[in-house]
Amino acid sequence: MIRILYFASLRERLGSDGETVSDAPGSVAALRAALAARGGDWQQAFAGDQRVLVAVNQEMADDASLLKDGDEVGFFPPVTGG
Amino acid sequence: MIRILYFASLRERLGSDGETVSDAPGSVAALRAALAARGGDWQQAFAGDQRVLVAVNQEMADDASLLKDGDEVGFFPPVTGG
Amino acid sequence: MSIEIRVQADELDALAEIAAVSAGDTRVGGVVSFVGLMRDLNQGDDIASMTLEHYPGMTEKALRKIVDEALERWELLGVRLVHRVGEVRPPDPIVVVAVAAAHRGEAFRACEFIIDFLKTRAPFWKRELKADGSQRWVDARSSDDAAAAGWGD
Amino acid sequence: MSIEIRVQADELDALAEIAAVSAGDTRVGGVVSFVGLMRDLNQGDDIASMTLEHYPGMTEKALRKIVDEALERWELLGVRLVHRVGEVRPPDPIVVVAVAAAHRGEAFRACEFIIDFLKTRAPFWKRELKADGSQRWVDARSSDDAAAAGWGD
């Protein structure tokens, strides 16, 4: 099981602040591909030319990062704090 | 006439906070030489290996700076504010 | 060594944070601080207010990591890093970074390093409410990426 | 544009100066400040107090020149530079440099530039009273010359 969270403009575009998926895909890249396969806004967000950052267990990660059962994955646009 | 001021450790070493000299030497270098010619602490301060900075009319200057009647010349050690 | 890192919805008292970073430590010779304030103009538009969203849990970890990295790079005596979330209005402070050190050079380097990395690594997002009533998410700036990249890895 | 330069024998309220540099100006996005504090230890000795002497008249001109140079180099919205003279004790503030700008990079550059040049160009001198009762003039540091030289001319 993987907990996925969406933040800020990404959350608004997808109309979801998060979900739980039961299969643990092997990597962030695989999870992105699975989400993009939903089509529409999902396709655009995860396979388009937008920059969507990712954190695994609340640490910055990248497409090569591996996922395991129980992980928390956060997707979000480039940060704008400070 | 030239007004000369001495500051901080230089003032203490010379035992003077300033004086007025009636002749206007041509340059800061000439004034330093005249002061050094007094010998003793003056010689050491103005012709020794110590660093004595100079300002003419309250602006940082150097040995080449020319002096004219009515100028104010300040001599002092390297600054230590802030 | 006083270290304090906070994310808060309450109003931020930037001056109190700056005072606190050196309080009681007479070894401190210099305090450098950065206060980020909300402006009433952005990209040519009048801005009425802004809402700051963050990723609870990750934010604190990210800020801690940035501060730890600064503590490794420079000899510091204190760091305070406080970031506001929720709704802010001009000229509210959004973030304060205060760094105390024996000597000023290290305090300057560390303070700028912390705010540069916060701007690119800490999960905060701003949504502006324009004076005309419309809303928009603030875009990340490439100049911020460049500033962080300038520190090397 | 708010510019304030002062030399004062009265206690210095560093926080008030930092607050004042951006007060009422909602174009300000960042305030960078440096506060120099008196330490109770210098070169291994306990220091009880310090007397700051200056060159009245020249000091104000020198500070103004440094601030003018910063205003030429960077796009700033406010500068406050206040230096204490007379007797100070740890941990009194000795100097505060507060710089307001629309963007942080310029505020950081200008703030550090001003304090680096103040340390080598403004006519202040410190005499320390050590805890053992003896006095000494503080020597200029070559690291300060190096810091100022780093900015070029």
Side-chain angles (χ1 to χ4, degrees):
Chain A
M1 220 167 67
I2 300 245
R3 175 83 194 136
I4 311 178
L5 302 169
Y6 308 111
F7 292 93
S9 57
L10 183 67
R11 180 192 67 240
E12 290 191 347
R13 191 174 338 125
L14 300 177
S16 166
D17 65 358
E19 62 188 293
T20 298
V21 297
S22 50
D23 288 336
S27 69
V28 167
L31 178 57
R32 278 186 196 264
L35 295 171
R38 294 174 179 178
D41 289 329
W42 296 86
Q43 158 77 22
Q44 208 188 341
F46 290 102
D49 58 1
Q50 304 169 54
R51 207 173 143 211
V52 173
L53 305 182
V54 63
V56 175
N57 298 328
Q58 307 185 346
E59 304 253 5
M60 282 290 190
D62 56 33
D63 281 1
S65 301
L66 297 179
L67 298 177
K68 61 181 191 310
D69 194 50
D71 279 350
E72 175 178 305
V73 179
F75 286 110
F76 43 80
V79 304
T80 56
Chain B
M1 219 167 66
I2 302 246
R3 175 85 193 137
I4 311 178
L5 302 170
Y6 307 110
F7 292 95
S9 57
L10 183 66
R11 180 191 67 239
E12 291 191 346
R13 191 173 338 123
L14 301 177
S16 166
D17 64 359
E19 61 188 295
T20 299
V21 296
S22 49
D23 288 336
S27 68
V28 168
L31 178 58
R32 277 186 197 263
L35 296 171
R38 295 176 178 176
D41 290 330
W42 296 86
Q43 157 79 22
Q44 207 188 341
F46 290 101
D49 57 0
Q50 306 170 52
R51 209 172 141 212
V52 174
L53 305 182
V54 64
V56 175
N57 297 329
Q58 307 185 345
E59 303 252 6
M60 281 292 190
D62 57 32
D63 280 1
S65 302
L66 298 178
L67 299 178
K68 61 181 190 312
D69 194 51
D71 279 350
E72 175 180 305
V73 179
F75 286 109
F76 42 80
V79 304
T80 56
Chain C
M1 167 69 82
S2 135
I3 305 292
E4 167 91 14
I5 299 167
R6 284 197 328 273
V7 176
Q8 64 182 42
D10 293 338
E11 246 180 70
L12 199 170
D13 184 345
L15 300 181
E17 303 299 335
I18 296 169
V21 78
S22 66
D25 188 344
T26 50
R27 297 170 303 165
V28 174
V31 172
V32 173
S33 62
F34 171 78
V35 181
L37 298 161
M38 186 179 165
R39 297 188 295 153
D40 63 3
L41 192 80
N42 194 20
Q43 300 178 319
D45 296 307
D46 289 329
I47 310 299
S49 73
M50 193 162 71
T51 303
L52 277 150
E53 174 178 336
H54 76 124
Y55 181 168
M58 177 171 172
T59 313
E60 293 77 2
K61 283 188 196 179
L63 297 181
R64 180 79 220 189
K65 205 169 163 182
I66 294 166
V67 170
D68 283 346
E69 171 94 20
L71 292 169
E72 259 176 48
R73 288 193 180 212
W74 297 282
E75 197 79 37
L76 307 177
L77 293 169
V79 177
R80 290 181 90 87
L81 170 53
V82 186
H83 201 292
R84 182 90 184 268
V85 291
E87 192 180 357
V88 294
R89 296 172 179 282
D92 285 350
I94 295 168
V95 61
V96 58
V97 184
V99 177
H103 303 293
R104 73 184 184 282
E106 296 182 290
F108 270 107
R109 295 290 86 65
C111 186
E112 192 167 15
F113 174 91
I114 289 169
I115 186 65
D116 280 355
F117 276 87
L118 183 151
K119 291 256 181 189
T120 56
R121 302 277 175 88
F124 294 101
W125 302 275
K126 289 170 178 158
R127 188 173 48 188
E128 292 174 334
L129 175 63
K130 295 204 279 184
D132 66 12
S134 65
Q135 302 204 350
R136 70 174 172 208
W137 289 94
V138 173
D139 279 331
R141 295 193 314 185
S142 56
S143 61
D144 285 331
D145 285 336
W151 292 99
D153 268 324
Chain D
M1 166 71 75
S2 136
I3 306 291
E4 167 91 13
I5 298 168
R6 280 198 333 271
V7 176
Q8 65 181 42
D10 293 338
E11 247 180 70
L12 199 169
D13 184 344
L15 301 181
E17 303 300 334
I18 296 169
V21 78
S22 66
D25 189 344
T26 50
R27 297 169 304 166
V28 173
V31 172
V32 173
S33 62
F34 170 77
V35 181
L37 299 159
M38 186 181 165
R39 295 187 296 154
D40 63 2
L41 192 81
N42 194 21
Q43 298 177 318
D45 295 305
D46 291 328
I47 310 299
S49 73
M50 194 162 70
T51 303
L52 277 149
E53 175 179 336
H54 76 125
Y55 181 167
M58 176 171 174
T59 314
E60 293 76 2
K61 283 189 195 175
L63 298 181
R64 180 78 219 189
K65 203 168 164 183
I66 295 167
V67 170
D68 283 346
E69 170 94 21
L71 292 169
E72 259 176 48
R73 289 193 180 210
W74 297 283
E75 195 81 37
L76 308 178
L77 294 170
V79 176
R80 288 181 92 84
L81 170 54
V82 186
H83 201 291
R84 181 88 183 269
V85 291
E87 193 181 355
V88 296
R89 296 171 179 283
D92 285 350
I94 295 168
V95 62
V96 58
V97 184
V99 177
H103 303 293
R104 74 184 183 284
E106 295 181 291
F108 269 106
R109 293 292 83 67
C111 186
E112 192 167 15
F113 173 90
I114 290 169
I115 186 64
D116 280 356
F117 276 86
L118 184 150
K119 291 256 180 188
T120 57
R121 303 274 176 91
F124 294 102
W125 302 275
K126 290 171 179 159
R127 189 174 50 189
E128 292 175 333
L129 174 64
K130 295 204 281 185
D132 65 13
S134 64
Q135 301 204 353
R136 69 173 174 210
W137 290 95
V138 173
D139 280 332
R141 296 193 315 186
S142 57
S143 62
D144 285 330
D145 285 336
W151 293 98
D153 267 324

Coordinates of all heavy atoms in Angstrom, one line a residue, chain C residues 15 18-19 22 26-40 90-91 102-105 108-109 111-112 115-116 119 141 144 147, chain D residues 15 18-19 22 26-40 90-91 102-105 108-109 111-112 115-116 119 141 144 147:
Chain C
L15 N 11.2 40.6 14.7 CA 12.2 41.3 15.6 C 12.5 40.4 16.8 O 13.6 40.4 17.3 CB 11.7 42.7 16.0 CG 11.4 43.7 14.9 CD1 11.0 45.0 15.4 CD2 12.7 43.9 14.0
I18 N 14.9 37.8 15.8 CA 16.3 38.3 15.7 C 16.9 38.5 17.0 O 18.1 38.2 17.3 CB 16.2 39.6 14.8 CG1 15.7 39.3 13.4 CG2 17.6 40.3 14.8 CD1 15.4 40.5 12.6
A19 N 16.1 39.1 18.0 CA 16.7 39.3 19.3 C 17.0 38.0 20.0 O 18.0 37.9 20.7 CB 15.6 40.0 20.2
S22 N 20.6 35.6 19.7 CA 21.9 35.9 20.4 C 21.7 36.1 21.9 O 22.6 36.3 22.6 CB 22.6 37.1 19.8 OG 21.8 38.3 20.0
T26 N 27.2 35.9 25.1 CA 28.1 37.0 24.9 C 29.3 36.7 24.0 O 30.2 37.5 23.8 CB 28.6 37.6 26.2 OG1 29.1 36.5 27.0 CG2 27.5 38.3 27.0
R27 N 29.3 35.4 23.5 CA 30.3 35.1 22.5 C 29.9 35.6 21.1 O 30.8 35.6 20.2 CB 30.5 33.5 22.4 CG 30.9 32.9 23.7 CD 30.8 31.4 23.6 NE 29.4 31.0 23.3 CZ 29.1 29.8 22.8 NH1 30.0 28.8 22.6 NH2 27.8 29.5 22.6
V28 N 28.6 35.9 20.9 CA 28.2 36.4 19.6 C 28.7 37.7 19.2 O 28.5 38.7 20.0 CB 26.6 36.4 19.6 CG1 26.1 37.0 18.2 CG2 26.1 35.0 19.8
G29 N 29.4 37.8 18.1 CA 29.9 39.1 17.6 C 29.0 39.7 16.5 O 29.0 40.9 16.3
G30 N 28.2 38.9 15.8 CA 27.4 39.4 14.8 C 26.2 38.6 14.5 O 26.2 37.4 14.7
V31 N 25.1 39.3 14.2 CA 23.8 38.6 13.9 C 23.4 39.1 12.5 O 23.3 40.3 12.3 CB 22.7 38.9 14.9 CG1 21.3 38.4 14.4 CG2 23.0 38.3 16.3
V32 N 23.3 38.2 11.6 CA 22.8 38.5 10.3 C 21.4 38.0 10.1 O 21.1 36.8 10.5 CB 23.7 38.0 9.1 CG1 23.0 38.2 7.8 CG2 25.0 38.7 9.2
S33 N 20.4 38.8 9.6 CA 19.1 38.3 9.5 C 18.5 38.7 8.2 O 18.8 39.7 7.6 CB 18.2 38.8 10.7 OG 18.1 40.1 10.6
F34 N 17.6 37.8 7.7 CA 16.8 38.1 6.5 C 15.3 38.0 6.9 O 14.9 37.0 7.6 CB 17.1 37.1 5.4 CG 16.1 37.2 4.3 CD1 16.2 38.2 3.3 CD2 15.0 36.4 4.1 CE1 15.3 38.4 2.3 CE2 14.1 36.5 3.1 CZ 14.2 37.5 2.2
V35 N 14.6 39.0 6.6 CA 13.1 39.0 6.8 C 12.5 39.2 5.5 O 12.7 40.1 4.7 CB 12.7 40.1 7.8 CG1 11.2 40.1 8.0 CG2 13.4 40.1 9.1
G36 N 11.7 38.2 5.1 CA 10.9 38.2 3.8 C 9.5 38.8 4.1 O 8.8 38.2 5.0
L37 N 9.2 39.8 3.4 CA 7.9 40.5 3.7 C 7.0 40.4 2.5 O 7.4 40.3 1.4 CB 8.2 42.0 3.9 CG 9.1 42.4 5.1 CD1 9.7 43.8 4.9 CD2 8.3 42.3 6.4
M38 N 5.7 40.3 2.8 CA 4.7 40.3 1.7 C 4.6 41.6 1.1 O 4.3 42.6 1.7 CB 3.4 39.8 2.2 CG 2.5 39.6 1.0 SD 0.8 39.1 1.3 CE 0.1 39.5 -0.3
R39 N 4.8 41.7 -0.3 CA 4.6 42.9 -1.0 C 3.2 43.1 -1.6 O 2.5 42.1 -1.7 CB 5.6 42.9 -2.2 CG 7.0 42.9 -1.8 CD 8.0 43.0 -2.9 NE 7.9 41.9 -3.9 CZ 8.2 42.0 -5.2 NH1 8.6 43.2 -5.6 NH2 8.1 41.0 -5.9
D40 N 2.8 44.3 -1.8 CA 1.4 44.5 -2.3 C 1.4 44.5 -3.8 O 0.3 44.8 -4.4 CB 0.8 45.7 -1.7 CG 1.5 47.0 -2.1 OD1 2.5 46.9 -2.9 OD2 1.1 48.1 -1.6
P90 N 0.0 42.2 3.0 CA 1.1 43.2 3.0 C 1.0 44.1 4.3 O -0.1 44.5 4.6 CB 0.9 44.0 1.8 CG -0.1 43.2 0.9 CD -0.9 42.4 1.9
P91 N 2.1 44.4 4.9 CA 3.4 43.9 4.7 C 3.8 42.9 5.8 O 4.9 43.0 6.3 CB 4.2 45.2 5.0 CG 3.5 45.9 6.1 CD 2.0 45.5 6.0
A102 N 30.4 34.2 15.8 CA 31.4 35.0 16.4 C 31.9 36.1 15.4 O 32.1 37.2 15.8 CB 32.6 34.2 16.9
H103 N 31.9 35.7 14.1 CA 32.4 36.6 13.1 C 31.4 36.8 12.0 O 30.7 35.8 11.6 CB 33.7 36.1 12.6 CG 34.8 36.0 13.7 ND1 35.2 37.1 14.3 CD2 35.3 34.9 14.2 CE1 36.1 36.7 15.3 NE2 36.2 35.4 15.2
R104 N 31.3 38.0 11.4 CA 30.2 38.3 10.5 C 30.2 37.5 9.2 O 29.1 37.2 8.6 CB 30.2 39.8 10.2 CG 31.3 40.3 9.2 CD 31.3 41.8 9.1 NE 32.3 42.3 8.1 CZ 33.6 42.4 8.4 NH1 34.1 42.1 9.5 NH2 34.4 42.9 7.4
G105 N 31.4 37.2 8.6 CA 31.4 36.5 7.3 C 30.6 35.2 7.3 O 29.8 34.9 6.4
F108 N 26.8 35.9 7.5 CA 26.3 36.3 6.2 C 26.1 35.1 5.2 O 25.1 34.9 4.6 CB 27.2 37.3 5.5 CG 26.8 38.7 5.8 CD1 27.7 39.5 6.6 CD2 25.7 39.4 5.3 CE1 27.3 40.8 7.0 CE2 25.4 40.7 5.6 CZ 26.2 41.4 6.4
R109 N 27.2 34.3 5.1 CA 27.1 33.1 4.3 C 26.0 32.2 4.7 O 25.2 31.8 3.8 CB 28.4 32.3 4.3 CG 29.7 32.9 3.8 CD 29.7 33.1 2.4 NE 29.1 34.4 2.0 CZ 29.6 35.6 2.4 NH1 30.7 35.7 3.1 NH2 29.0 36.7 2.1
C111 N 23.2 32.7 6.5 CA 21.9 33.3 6.4 C 21.4 33.2 4.9 O 20.3 32.8 4.7 CB 21.9 34.7 6.9 SG 20.3 35.5 7.0
E112 N 22.3 33.6 4.0 CA 21.9 33.6 2.6 C 21.7 32.2 2.1 O 20.8 31.9 1.3 CB 22.9 34.4 1.8 CG 22.3 34.6 0.3 CD 23.2 35.6 -0.4 OE1 24.3 35.9 0.0 OE2 22.7 36.1 -1.5
I115 N 18.2 30.8 3.3 CA 17.0 31.4 2.5 C 17.1 30.9 1.1 O 16.0 30.6 0.5 CB 16.9 32.9 2.7 CG1 15.6 33.4 2.0 CG2 18.1 33.6 2.1 CD1 14.3 32.8 2.7
D116 N 18.3 30.8 0.5 CA 18.3 30.3 -0.9 C 17.8 28.9 -1.0 O 17.1 28.5 -2.0 CB 19.8 30.4 -1.4 CG 20.2 31.8 -1.9 OD1 19.4 32.7 -1.9 OD2 21.4 31.9 -2.2
K119 N 14.0 28.5 -0.5 CA 13.2 28.9 -1.7 C 13.1 27.8 -2.7 O 12.2 27.9 -3.6 CB 13.9 30.2 -2.3 CG 13.8 31.4 -1.5 CD 12.8 32.4 -2.0 CE 12.8 33.6 -1.2 NZ 11.6 34.5 -1.6
R141 N 10.5 30.9 -9.4 CA 11.4 31.7 -10.2 C 12.7 31.0 -10.5 O 13.3 30.4 -9.7 CB 11.7 33.0 -9.4 CG 10.4 33.9 -9.2 CD 10.8 35.3 -8.8 NE 11.8 35.2 -7.7 CZ 12.2 36.3 -7.1 NH1 11.7 37.5 -7.4 NH2 13.1 36.2 -6.1
D144 N 15.6 31.8 -8.4 CA 15.8 31.1 -7.1 C 16.6 29.8 -7.3 O 17.4 29.4 -6.5 CB 14.4 30.8 -6.5 CG 13.8 32.0 -5.9 OD1 14.6 32.9 -5.4 OD2 12.6 32.1 -5.8
A147 N 20.2 30.7 -7.7 CA 20.8 31.1 -6.4 C 21.2 29.9 -5.6 O 22.3 29.8 -5.1 CB 19.8 32.0 -5.6
Chain D
L15 N 16.8 46.6 17.0 CA 15.5 46.1 16.4 C 14.7 47.2 15.9 O 14.0 47.1 14.8 CB 14.8 45.3 17.5 CG 15.5 44.1 18.1 CD1 14.6 43.4 19.1 CD2 15.9 43.1 17.0
I18 N 16.0 48.1 12.4 CA 15.6 47.0 11.4 C 14.1 47.2 11.1 O 13.7 47.1 9.9 CB 15.8 45.6 12.0 CG1 17.3 45.4 12.2 CG2 15.3 44.6 11.1 CD1 17.7 44.2 13.0
A19 N 13.3 47.5 12.1 CA 11.8 47.7 11.8 C 11.6 48.9 10.9 O 10.8 49.0 10.0 CB 11.1 47.8 13.1
S22 N 12.0 49.4 6.6 CA 10.9 49.0 5.7 C 9.5 49.6 6.0 O 8.6 49.4 5.3 CB 10.8 47.5 5.5 OG 10.4 46.9 6.7
T26 N 5.4 49.1 1.2 CA 4.9 47.7 0.9 C 5.6 47.2 -0.4 O 5.2 46.1 -0.9 CB 3.4 47.7 0.8 OG1 3.0 48.8 -0.1 CG2 2.7 47.9 2.1
R27 N 6.5 48.0 -1.0 CA 7.3 47.5 -2.1 C 8.4 46.6 -1.7 O 9.0 45.8 -2.4 CB 7.9 48.6 -3.0 CG 6.9 49.5 -3.6 CD 7.6 50.8 -4.2 NE 8.3 51.4 -3.1 CZ 9.2 52.4 -3.3 NH1 9.5 52.7 -4.6 NH2 9.9 53.0 -2.3
V28 N 8.8 46.7 -0.4 CA 9.9 45.9 0.2 C 9.6 44.4 0.3 O 8.6 44.1 0.9 CB 10.3 46.5 1.6 CG1 11.4 45.6 2.2 CG2 10.8 47.9 1.5
G29 N 10.4 43.6 -0.3 CA 10.2 42.2 -0.3 C 11.2 41.5 0.7 O 10.9 40.4 1.2
G30 N 12.3 42.2 1.0 CA 13.3 41.6 1.9 C 14.1 42.6 2.7 O 14.4 43.7 2.1
V31 N 14.3 42.4 3.9 CA 15.2 43.2 4.7 C 16.4 42.3 5.2 O 16.1 41.3 5.9 CB 14.5 43.8 5.9 CG1 15.4 44.5 6.9 CG2 13.4 44.8 5.4
V32 N 17.6 42.7 4.9 CA 18.8 42.0 5.4 C 19.4 43.0 6.4 O 19.6 44.2 6.1 CB 19.7 41.6 4.3 CG1 21.0 41.1 4.9 CG2 19.1 40.6 3.4
S33 N 19.8 42.4 7.6 CA 20.4 43.3 8.5 C 21.6 42.6 9.2 O 21.7 41.4 9.3 CB 19.4 43.7 9.6 OG 19.0 42.6 10.3
F34 N 22.6 43.5 9.6 CA 23.7 43.0 10.3 C 23.7 43.8 11.6 O 23.6 45.0 11.6 CB 25.0 43.2 9.6 CG 26.2 43.0 10.4 CD1 26.6 41.7 10.7 CD2 26.9 44.0 11.0 CE1 27.7 41.4 11.5 CE2 28.0 43.8 11.8 CZ 28.4 42.5 12.1
V35 N 23.8 43.1 12.8 CA 24.0 43.7 14.0 C 25.3 43.3 14.6 O 25.6 42.1 14.8 CB 22.9 43.4 15.0 CG1 23.1 44.1 16.3 CG2 21.5 43.7 14.4
G36 N 26.2 44.2 14.9 CA 27.5 43.9 15.5 C 27.4 44.1 17.0 O 27.0 45.2 17.4
L37 N 27.7 43.0 17.7 CA 27.5 43.1 19.2 C 28.9 43.0 19.9 O 29.8 42.4 19.4 CB 26.7 41.8 19.6 CG 25.3 41.7 19.0 CD1 24.8 40.3 19.1 CD2 24.4 42.7 19.8
M38 N 28.9 43.7 21.1 CA 30.2 43.6 21.8 C 30.3 42.2 22.5 O 29.4 41.8 23.2 CB 30.2 44.7 22.9 CG 31.6 44.7 23.5 SD 31.9 45.8 24.8 CE 33.4 45.1 25.5
R39 N 31.4 41.6 22.3 CA 31.7 40.3 22.9 C 32.4 40.5 24.2 O 33.1 41.5 24.4 CB 32.5 39.4 22.0 CG 31.8 39.1 20.7 CD 32.5 38.1 19.9 NE 33.8 38.6 19.4 CZ 34.9 37.9 19.1 NH1 34.8 36.6 19.2 NH2 36.0 38.4 18.7
D40 N 32.3 39.5 25.1 CA 33.0 39.6 26.4 C 34.4 38.9 26.4 O 35.0 38.8 27.4 CB 32.2 39.1 27.6 CG 31.9 37.6 27.4 OD1 32.3 37.0 26.5 OD2 31.1 37.1 28.3
P90 N 29.4 44.4 27.0 CA 28.8 43.2 26.4 C 27.4 43.0 27.0 O 27.2 43.2 28.2 CB 29.7 42.0 26.9 CG 30.9 42.7 27.4 CD 30.6 44.0 27.8
P91 N 26.4 42.6 26.2 CA 26.4 42.4 24.8 C 25.8 43.6 24.0 O 25.0 43.3 23.1 CB 25.5 41.2 24.6 CG 24.5 41.4 25.7 CD 25.1 42.2 26.8
A102 N 13.5 45.2 -3.0 CA 12.4 44.4 -3.5 C 12.9 42.9 -3.5 O 12.0 42.0 -3.2 CB 12.1 44.8 -4.9
H103 N 14.1 42.7 -3.8 CA 14.6 41.3 -3.9 C 15.8 41.0 -3.0 O 16.6 41.9 -2.8 CB 14.9 40.9 -5.3 CG 13.8 41.2 -6.2 ND1 12.6 40.4 -6.2 CD2 13.5 42.1 -7.2 CE1 11.7 40.8 -7.0 NE2 12.3 41.9 -7.7
R104 N 15.9 39.8 -2.5 CA 16.9 39.6 -1.4 C 18.3 39.6 -1.8 O 19.2 40.0 -1.0 CB 16.6 38.2 -0.7 CG 17.0 37.0 -1.6 CD 16.6 35.7 -0.9 NE 17.0 34.5 -1.6 CZ 16.4 34.0 -2.7 NH1 15.4 34.7 -3.2 NH2 16.9 32.9 -3.2
G105 N 18.7 39.2 -3.0 CA 20.1 39.2 -3.4 C 20.7 40.6 -3.2 O 21.8 40.7 -2.7
F108 N 21.3 41.5 0.5 CA 22.4 40.8 1.0 C 23.7 41.4 0.6 O 24.6 41.7 1.4 CB 22.4 39.3 0.6 CG 21.7 38.4 1.6 CD1 20.4 37.9 1.3 CD2 22.2 38.1 2.8 CE1 19.7 37.0 2.1 CE2 21.5 37.2 3.7 CZ 20.3 36.7 3.4
R109 N 23.9 41.6 -0.7 CA 25.1 42.2 -1.2 C 25.4 43.6 -0.5 O 26.5 43.8 -0.1 CB 25.0 42.4 -2.7 CG 24.9 41.2 -3.6 CD 26.1 40.4 -3.7 NE 26.1 39.4 -2.6 CZ 25.2 38.4 -2.4 NH1 24.3 38.2 -3.3 NH2 25.3 37.6 -1.4
C111 N 24.2 45.0 2.2 CA 24.4 45.0 3.6 C 25.8 44.6 4.0 O 26.5 45.2 4.8 CB 23.4 44.0 4.3 SG 23.5 44.0 6.1
E112 N 26.3 43.5 3.3 CA 27.7 43.0 3.6 C 28.7 44.0 3.1 O 29.7 44.3 3.7 CB 27.9 41.7 3.0 CG 29.2 41.0 3.5 CD 29.3 39.6 3.1 OE1 28.6 39.1 2.3 OE2 30.2 38.9 3.8
I115 N 29.0 47.0 5.7 CA 29.7 46.7 6.9 C 31.2 46.4 6.6 O 32.1 46.8 7.3 CB 29.1 45.5 7.7 CG1 29.8 45.3 9.1 CG2 29.0 44.2 7.0 CD1 29.7 46.5 10.0
D116 N 31.5 45.7 5.5 CA 32.9 45.5 5.1 C 33.7 46.8 4.9 O 34.8 46.9 5.4 CB 33.0 44.7 3.8 CG 32.8 43.2 4.0 OD1 32.6 42.8 5.2 OD2 32.8 42.5 3.0
K119 N 34.2 48.8 8.2 CA 35.3 48.2 9.0 C 36.7 48.7 8.6 O 37.6 48.6 9.4 CB 35.3 46.7 8.9 CG 34.1 46.0 9.6 CD 34.5 45.4 10.9 CE 33.3 44.8 11.6 NZ 33.6 44.3 13.0
R141 N 42.2 44.3 11.9 CA 42.4 42.9 11.4 C 42.6 42.8 9.9 O 41.9 43.5 9.2 CB 41.2 42.0 11.8 CG 40.9 41.9 13.3 CD 39.9 40.9 13.6 NE 38.8 40.9 12.8 CZ 37.7 40.2 12.9 NH1 37.7 39.3 13.9 NH2 36.7 40.3 12.1
D144 N 39.7 42.0 7.8 CA 38.8 43.1 7.3 C 39.3 43.8 6.1 O 38.5 44.1 5.2 CB 38.7 44.1 8.5 CG 37.8 43.6 9.6 OD1 36.9 42.8 9.4 OD2 38.0 44.0 10.8
A147 N 38.4 41.5 3.3 CA 36.9 41.5 3.0 C 36.6 42.7 2.1 O 35.9 42.6 1.1 CB 36.1 41.5 4.2

